[in-house]
């Protein structure tokens, strides 16, 4: 029987590439969800015939209702944040692929895991904001978290040999360095939205592309790696690999290092999360070494790119500090994309919130959302 997938965030960069993979593998789509892009979601419904769809935005959900009213074999429509969570928890799916952007993805991750459903996780913010709750729920319900983020998929792929994995000593998390690699603070004073959205290697959604430019993405990924692979933050070393060909590496007790390489194409990690533990042919092209002029390594500049330093501080503080850093960043990126704050202000705000309180200790899911609200309010008060 074909695997049944529920895909959350189907209209985004990861979502649309996931549908490429799903089509190539002949998988069945059980559920689709988006926020407000009704026209694309409707096309996806026509092509993949899901049983259930969820639309988070209320106005968009009304438009979808109208479109579905005229459709034969229309899927069931769920609305709002509650609808997204309800879809994520539907046990008919074999796996939920969470490609929602931001903390908005956390309730769905928790809802799927709570039902014991495996989650292929692109939504790194789930682990950054609620890492303890997400990993505890997965463990308690014996559900798997399968990494989709390219670096974490690379690490996961390098750890498939259980004997070696037991001796994991260090993770070498690669970073492209983003569009502003090598620039000074002075040169970044007037960095624009357009400059920041020009990623050297990957075509991605706007929010993660800005995160790559500030190196917040690497900070979020460091926290994500700590939760997924159980190493302390000081055992995760960031290595700038400008070409995004080496997607990450692991070092074992004997100082042997394994790396995963490939073209920068998210369909490889998406597919691995869906087919794991099998490897099968897929739609991504192969890497042609004869066309690679070099593979280079550099050190990340944490003095200029304060978000990375702030995330390191946040994970070492523990508790809700990473959630606060994430909330401040989500709000700051929104304001930067609306041309309301400067590029460098994003780092100042993320650093500011992490320094502002202690945040230590255990937390509930309500505490996570309260901390997120507080971090967003902090940003609005400090611009
Ligand atoms: N793009 C990439 O290559 C990579 C992305 N990731 C991670 O994957 C996630 C998705 O990234 P990406 O695909 O780039 O993002 P996009 O912005 O391209 O897509 C986001 C998706 O989430 C939906 N969405 C937005 N807001 C909400 C909300 N409040 N509730 C429910 N759904 C919502 C959007 O719907 P609509 O279109 O209707 O607004 C869209 O389907 C992020 O966490 C990112 O960090 C990780 C590695 C690589
Ligand atoms: C494709 C992917 O996984 C992104 O998270 C990517 O890694 C961004 O690149 P950098 O953050 O390294 O610029
Ligand atoms: Mn990544």
């Amino acid at each position: 029987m074909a695997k049944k997938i529920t895909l959350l965030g189907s209209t985004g960069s990861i979502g649309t590439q996931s549908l490429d993979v799903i089509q190539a593998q002949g998988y069945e789509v059980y559920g689709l969800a988006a926020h407000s892009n009704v026209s694309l979601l409707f096309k996806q419904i026509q092509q993949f015939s899901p049983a259930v769809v969820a639309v988070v935005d209320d106005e968009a959900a009304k438009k979808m209702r109208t479109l579905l009213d005229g459709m034969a074999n229309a899927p069931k429509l769920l609305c709002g944040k509650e609808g997204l969570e309800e879809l994520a928890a539907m046990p008919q799916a074999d796996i939920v692929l969470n490609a929602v952007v931001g903390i908005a993805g956390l309730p769905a991750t928790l809802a799927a895991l709570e039902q014991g459903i495996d989650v292929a996780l692109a939504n790194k913010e789930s682990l950054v904001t609620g890492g303890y709750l997400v990993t505890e729920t997965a463990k308690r319900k014996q559900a798997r978290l399968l990494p989709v983020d390219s670096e974490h998929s690379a690490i996961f792929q390098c750890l498939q040999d259980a004997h070696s994995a037991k001796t994991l000593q260090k993770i070498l998390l690669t970073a492209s360095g983003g569009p502003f690699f090598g620039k000074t603070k002075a040169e970044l004073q007037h960095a624009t939205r357009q400059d920041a959205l020009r990623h050297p290697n990957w075509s991605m959604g706007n929010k993660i592309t800005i995160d790559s430019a500030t190196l917040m993405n690497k900070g979020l990924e460091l926290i994500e790696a700590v939760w997924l692979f159980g190493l302390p933050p000081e055992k995760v070393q960031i290595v700038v690999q400008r070409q995004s060909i080496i997607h990450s590496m692991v070092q074992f007790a004997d100082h042997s290092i394994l790396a995963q390489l490939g073209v920068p194409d998210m369909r490889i990690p998406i597919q691995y999360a869906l087919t794991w533990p099998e490897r099968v042919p897929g739609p991504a092209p192969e890497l042609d070494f004869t066309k690679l002029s070099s593979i280079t390594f550099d050190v990340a500049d944490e003095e200029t790119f304060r978000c990375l330093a702030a995330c390191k501080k946040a994970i070492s503080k523990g508790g809700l500090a990473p959630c606060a850093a994430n909330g401040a960043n989500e709000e700051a990126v929104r304001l930067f994309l609306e041309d309301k704050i400067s590029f460098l202000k994003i780092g100042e705000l993320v650093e500011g919130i992490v320094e502002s309180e202690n945040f230590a200790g255990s937390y509930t899911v309500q505490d996570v959302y309260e901390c997120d609200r507080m971090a967003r309010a902090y940003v609005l008060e400090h611009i």
Side-chain angles (χ1 to χ4, degrees), residues 106 109 121 123-132 134-135 145 152 220 223-225 227-228 322 363:
L106 174 63
T109 299
L121 193 65
N123 179 258
K124 63 191 84 184
E125 295 90 346
S126 284
L127 280 169
V128 172
T129 58
Y132 168 72
V134 170
T135 51
L145 277 171
H152 305 76
L220 298 176
I223 299 167
E224 184 185 11
W227 284 112
L228 280 173
Y363 53 84

Side-chain angles (χ1 to χ4, degrees), residues 175 177-178 210-220 300-301 305 307-308:
I210 300 302
D211 288 348
S212 291
T214 58
L215 294 200
M216 183 72 188
N217 187 46
K218 224 35 66 179
L220 298 176
D301 174 1
F305 298 92
C307 286
L308 178 53

Side-chain angles (χ1 to χ4, degrees), residues 16-57:
T16 50
Q17 295 178 85
S18 300
L19 287 172
D20 271 3
V21 170
I22 287 169
Q23 188 175 33
Q25 298 306 328
Y27 291 155
E28 198 179 311
V29 175
Y30 179 74
L32 289 177
H35 180 261
S36 47
N37 189 345
V38 171
S39 54
L40 180 55
L41 183 59
F42 187 64
K43 282 189 198 134
Q44 294 176 343
I45 292 169
Q46 290 173 312
Q47 191 180 351
F48 291 94
S49 307
V52 186
V53 293
V55 178
V56 173
D57 179 73

